[in-house]
Amino acid sequence: MTDPTTQADRFPNRLITEASPYLRQHAKNPVEWYPWGEEALSRAKVEDKPILLSIGYSACHWCHVMAHECFENVEIARLMNQDFINVKVDREERPDLDDIYQKSAQVFLGRGGGWPLTMFLTPDKEPFYGGTYFPPEPRYNLSGFPDVLRGVVEAYRNHRDDVRKNVQKVKTGLLRIGTPQPSADPLTERLLDEAAKNLGQFFDPVHGGFGEGPKFPTVPPLSLLLRQTARTKDVSHQEQVLLQLKTMAAGGIYDHLGGGFHRYSVDGQWLIPHFEKMLYDNAQLVRIYLDGWRLTKEYRFREVVEETLEYVRRELTHPDGAFFAAQDADSEGHEGSYFVWEPGEITAVLGAEMAEKFCRHYGVTESGNFEGKNVLNRLGWIQLARDAQEEVESLLRPARRKLLAAREQRMKPQRDDNILTSWNGMMVSAYLDAYHAFGVPAYLAAAERALTFLLDYVVENGRVYRTVSAGEGRLNGYLDDAACLAAALLDAFEATSHRWYLDQAREVTDHLLERYWDEAAGGCFYTSSDHEALLHRMKSGTDSAIPSGNAIVALVLLRLFSFTKEQRYCDRAEHLFRVFRSMMGHNPYGSSAMLCALDWYLRTPQEIVVVGTRGDAMTEALLSTVHRRYLPNRAVLVIEASRRAGELDLALAAGGGSAPPPIVTFQDRLRWWSWGRWQRRKTILAARDRFQQDILDIKKRPPK
């Protein structure tokens, strides 16, 4: 007989009509959930009840745990319905609410928040208490959720002065966190040096990553360290990044059968993951592994990129080309059950002899490493010589294919089919970066299909929407939506030379500056000028799971300046750096993306003009030579030879100064020289007849 305290209400609540898959997951809870909106807020005021705000997302394991333990529990639901107005929010749809209330939780807890986020608000949306996951009874050194509910109601009814003090404490904290002030301190390379030194001090020299665990595969600090090596020639920073890339690719955080990375590792060795897979993680990791490949030409790095993009194509791609948000951690009610193995299961697929070899190389044992089962990993391979690794790889590659086919017969984790503009923009850029590096036409095609989808559905006269549902753009876009889309459009322009992409990037950026820029103090707010009024209009340069929107904007502005030489773009970028100057000095880990953009600003970027025709073998060989090198600060433009006389209205195409020095060897094509601080360094790759034989020889060489 089913326990009546855990039976869900058979009648759906107000979430049943919502577009969000996460909200619909809670539509049959016995909790009287509201979506965020005027109906819930008005009822809270009329009845003078506190708001219980619960924020999570579809692929979140602990969100599922709390939902099952608390929100499906009839007795707990009765307490919630009796004393609160209950509001459910999908953090993917409303990152503005998530950002404000996560930072509010930090004020209460004195540490970072997380998901599920559980906040208690006054009817005026002001937070006065909160936390993350609460169990149904006391455990894990946490209060039981029913006790928390009773305590909050008691405080709200009988201790309003204490509630007001908590509210004021949060408001003061949000004002401090979310309103940075411009600094007159100089913008110098010392900021970059100090940041690299700081990152190095808590980098794990054995396994890579920062701190001891849990470890997140956060990319901007790694990008900053690689840039530091390129700038200072201190290879120790590069070696740190390569160590982390090798260890993550060997650990269980990487899916060795299906490709792609899980969200984070619960330990310090990258061995046991939280099993959800997020689009934004994989987009960023593709690009840092591409940088690792450009620096080393290691086959494993290329393999990780190719397998990850294949995973995205297979599991996270909409039939019309856009990308879905995530894949769940749970299947059949258990975390990770889709991904883990027992030795007997492997033997049944591979046979005893091959299974023995596979288990030995992938760390599979009878006792297991995760709840009696095994997360596959290659951590034992790291110390093998390269030749030995290649020999083992050739032996085990067919075995992996067989095991993947067998795994496909299991019940798959649920897919989060949100289509989010910023995350899609990041994955478009990842596909284009892979196209640049490897020259695979399918990568360009995938990027252009997704970009066409976004331009069809999420852009309206320069205005950007957050998400797409039922063929329509929905919800006001946030700063990172517009910024990531503009960055993807610039990447598409460099990949194709289609001027239309550049025009679209400028239009999106100009609308962004119009609707998000703070005319009083500089920098961009997270929400647009016509957005719903919230507790505080946040302005942040701190990275979260994705790079800061302001950091992405800064780099977009600098890239636009390179192509157009419109001073307004450069001026806005410089103002951004001054707004977040103090933050870059005090929190280099959290502001790594902004520091990467500052690296572009302080160094002379490599502006490369290729004179030739797209699709022509020699032109493409020249471009391949450029894109296969690690050049973090570069703008590439291809112009037709017939338009060299200034017919193209882009300033980068016009050049400047006297003619470049004569080019003697094939390698000399990549020689840079300076035309002045903001004129930047240019390379005119012309006179192709001089290099014809050289290029043909390169094309005949087998790929490494």
Side-chain angles (χ1 to χ4, degrees):
M1 183 176 177
T2 305
D3 184 346
T5 64
T6 59
Q7 287 182 341
D9 190 350
R10 68 179 63 201
F11 300 107
N13 55 47
R14 293 169 181 81
L15 303 183
I16 194 65
T17 59
E18 290 296 303
S20 159
Y22 174 67
L23 297 187
R24 292 197 306 271
Q25 286 176 4
H26 293 80
K28 293 191 177 181
N29 291 167
V31 178
E32 294 177 10
W33 289 117
Y34 287 82
W36 180 273
E38 189 56 38
E39 183 183 5
L41 301 175
S42 296
R43 184 180 167 192
K45 289 183 178 180
V46 168
E47 298 184 15
D48 191 23
K49 287 183 176 179
I51 296 167
L52 191 164
L53 175 65
S54 176
I55 302 178
Y57 62 99
S58 178
C60 169
H61 169 68
W62 284 102
C63 298
H64 298 329
V65 172
M66 188 167 178
H68 176 66
E69 292 180 340
C70 296
F71 304 147
E72 294 174 9
N73 184 303
V74 172
E75 288 304 312
I76 293 177
R78 183 184 60 79
L79 291 175
M80 294 171 65
N81 297 336
Q82 173 181 290
D83 296 319
F84 299 89
I85 304 302
N86 305 292
V87 177
K88 250 300 174 192
V89 165
D90 182 348
R91 67 109 172 180
E92 294 174 357
E93 285 193 339
R94 295 299 304 265
D96 54 336
L97 296 173
D98 184 55
D99 183 52
I100 286 175
Y101 293 115
Q102 289 284 356
K103 289 182 169 64
S104 300
Q106 291 173 25
V107 175
F108 293 131
L109 302 174
R111 54 179 171 79
W115 299 281
L117 181 67
T118 308
M119 296 297 292
F120 298 94
L121 320 180
T122 71
D124 291 322
K125 303 179 284 190
E126 303 164 322
F128 62 92
Y129 184 69
T132 52
Y133 162 80
F134 288 104
E137 62 277 324
R139 63 171 181 256
Y140 311 134
N141 293 320
L142 296 171
S143 300
F145 196 45
D147 295 333
V148 171
L149 297 175
R150 296 185 187 100
V152 169
V153 170
E154 165 67 17
Y156 185 77
R157 289 175 178 169
N158 301 319
H159 303 283
R160 289 290 179 99
D161 287 345
D162 292 336
V163 167
R164 294 309 309 168
K165 288 178 183 177
N166 275 4
V167 166
Q168 192 56 47
K169 180 180 179 181
V170 169
K171 287 185 172 181
T172 301
L174 290 178
L175 185 66
R176 175 178 51 81
I177 296 169
T179 314
Q181 296 300 318
S183 170
D185 293 339
L187 298 167
T188 68
E189 292 185 346
R190 183 176 179 181
L191 274 171
L192 306 175
D193 295 333
E194 291 296 323
K197 179 180 177 182
N198 180 284
L199 292 175
Q201 288 174 346
F202 70 107
F203 188 87
D204 180 347
V206 178
H207 305 291
F210 300 93
E212 298 179 353
K215 284 182 178 174
F216 290 79
T218 309
V219 170
L222 303 181
S223 297
L224 181 60
L225 290 174
L226 287 185
R227 286 169 175 267
Q228 185 74 356
T229 289
R231 186 175 64 83
T232 67
K233 311 307 178 189
D234 180 353
V235 296
S236 65
H237 301 300
Q238 177 177 310
E239 289 169 352
Q240 289 174 321
V241 176
L242 296 178
L243 169 65
Q244 180 167 338
L245 297 185
K246 290 175 184 177
T247 312
M248 287 197 306
I253 192 172
Y254 184 70
D255 180 355
H256 293 275
L257 299 184
F261 288 86
H262 300 291
R263 182 165 167 254
Y264 68 93
S265 168
V266 301
D267 57 84
Q269 303 177 61
W270 307 106
L271 176 59
I272 305 301
H274 250 316
F275 290 91
E276 61 261 41
K277 291 181 179 179
M278 311 302 296
L279 184 68
Y280 59 74
D281 281 329
N282 285 285
Q284 294 176 83
L285 287 164
V286 161
R287 302 197 72 178
I288 195 67
Y289 273 91
L290 283 167
D291 285 341
W293 178 83
R294 288 183 171 106
L295 288 163
T296 65
K297 299 301 186 289
E298 282 203 25
Y299 175 76
R300 179 59 179 156
F301 292 163
R302 176 168 183 159
E303 184 179 53
V304 166
V305 169
E306 292 172 338
E307 290 177 351
T308 300
L309 293 178
E310 171 58 20
Y311 160 72
V312 171
R313 183 203 65 78
R314 188 179 67 247
E315 302 290 352
L316 295 181
T317 300
H318 186 280
D320 292 334
F323 304 112
F324 297 120
Q327 190 177 36
D328 210 330
D330 299 8
S331 55
E332 300 182 285
H334 298 284
E335 183 188 12
S337 62
Y338 178 73
F339 299 100
V340 297
W341 293 84
E342 295 177 351
E345 295 173 314
I346 295 174
T347 301
V349 176
L350 300 180
E353 183 178 353
M354 180 56 71
E356 187 278 328
K357 294 176 183 177
F358 186 91
C359 290
R360 176 158 40 87
H361 286 292
Y362 280 91
V364 177
T365 65
E366 290 292 342
S367 59
N369 55 28
F370 176 74
E371 298 180 354
K373 297 188 177 183
N374 293 271
V375 176
L376 302 182
N377 71 92
R378 295 165 57 158
L379 290 169
W381 289 31
I382 294 178
Q383 303 305 322
L384 289 178
R386 182 166 182 171
D387 290 346
Q389 288 183 1
E390 292 173 356
E391 181 180 349
V392 172
E393 172 61 21
S394 64
L395 179 70
L396 296 179
R397 187 179 294 113
R400 290 204 307 272
R401 287 197 290 264
K402 290 180 181 179
L403 288 171
L404 177 60
R407 197 178 76 176
E408 288 285 299
Q409 305 307 309
R410 299 175 176 177
M411 180 179 288
K412 285 189 176 183
Q414 182 175 341
R415 183 176 63 197
D416 178 350
D417 61 6
N418 264 334
I419 295 173
L420 305 170
T421 302
S422 57
W423 301 10
N424 268 254
M426 294 168 70
M427 185 52 73
V428 167
S429 293
Y431 266 103
L432 291 169
D433 202 7
Y435 169 69
H436 282 316
F438 304 149
V440 177
Y443 293 161
L444 176 61
E448 289 204 276
R449 283 191 73 214
L451 204 47
T452 298
F453 183 101
L454 295 177
L455 292 172
D456 283 346
Y457 294 114
V458 305
V459 182
E460 183 178 347
N461 298 322
R463 181 191 187 96
V464 175
Y465 292 99
R466 172 63 174 175
T467 185
V468 178
S469 179
E472 292 186 355
R474 294 179 57 252
L475 305 175
N476 269 353
Y478 303 99
L479 178 62
D480 52 359
D481 293 310
C484 289
L485 180 58
L489 288 163
L490 286 176
D491 292 333
F493 172 63
E494 288 201 45
T496 66
S497 301
H498 295 328
R499 175 61 186 269
W500 183 72
Y501 284 132
L502 178 61
D503 293 340
Q504 290 290 305
R506 294 181 72 178
E507 183 177 8
V508 168
T509 303
D510 289 345
H511 276 265
L512 180 159
L513 294 174
E514 179 183 328
R515 299 174 64 237
Y516 296 86
W517 187 264
D518 181 357
E519 295 294 344
C524 293
F525 292 111
Y526 188 63
T527 55
S528 61
S529 55
D530 57 352
H531 195 74
E532 169 192 357
L534 299 175
L535 188 64
H536 185 76
R537 194 177 179 199
M538 302 293 288
K539 186 200 303 179
S540 175
T542 305
D543 304 328
S544 57
I546 68 174
S548 144
N550 270 295
I552 301 169
V553 170
L555 200 49
V556 164
L557 292 169
L558 292 172
R559 293 175 69 189
L560 282 172
F561 176 74
S562 278
F563 286 118
T564 68
K565 293 298 180 284
E566 290 190 27
Q567 189 63 34
R568 64 191 179 100
Y569 291 132
C570 174
D571 292 344
R572 292 291 181 108
E574 182 175 342
H575 204 154
L576 266 170
F577 295 129
R578 298 207 175 278
V579 169
F580 297 105
R581 167 63 177 81
S582 296
M583 179 203 69
M584 288 189 282
H586 293 126
N587 182 14
Y589 182 85
S591 57
S592 290
M594 187 69 73
L595 286 159
C596 287
L598 181 67
D599 178 65
W600 177 301
Y601 173 79
L602 293 176
R603 298 174 64 196
T604 305
Q606 292 149 342
E607 296 176 338
I608 304 165
V609 178
V610 178
V611 180
T613 303
R614 281 281 183 181
D616 176 84
M618 289 178 286
T619 301
E620 296 303 323
L622 286 167
L623 289 169
S624 177
T625 302
V626 171
H627 289 305
R628 289 164 70 93
R629 295 185 61 183
Y630 177 70
L631 302 172
N633 300 329
R634 54 119 177 95
V636 180
L637 176 66
V638 179
I639 60 174
E640 298 285 341
S642 61
R643 306 186 75 174
R644 291 177 63 193
E647 296 151 7
L648 195 65
D649 62 344
L650 288 179
L652 182 55
S658 59
I663 300 173
V664 179
T665 67
F666 183 75
Q667 289 76 18
D668 286 336
R669 289 173 304 169
L670 300 177
R671 185 181 295 168
W672 323 117
W673 62 96
S674 176
W675 302 117
R677 184 174 187 276
W678 281 114
Q679 189 65 15
R680 301 294 202 247
R681 294 179 185 178
K682 297 184 184 293
T683 296
I684 306 298
L685 300 177
R688 291 177 299 152
D689 55 319
R690 300 183 186 181
F691 315 120
Q692 182 172 357
Q693 190 58 50
D694 224 358
I695 295 167
L696 292 176
D697 289 343
I698 288 291
K699 287 178 66 60
K700 291 176 183 176
R701 296 176 190 168
K704 293 183 180 180

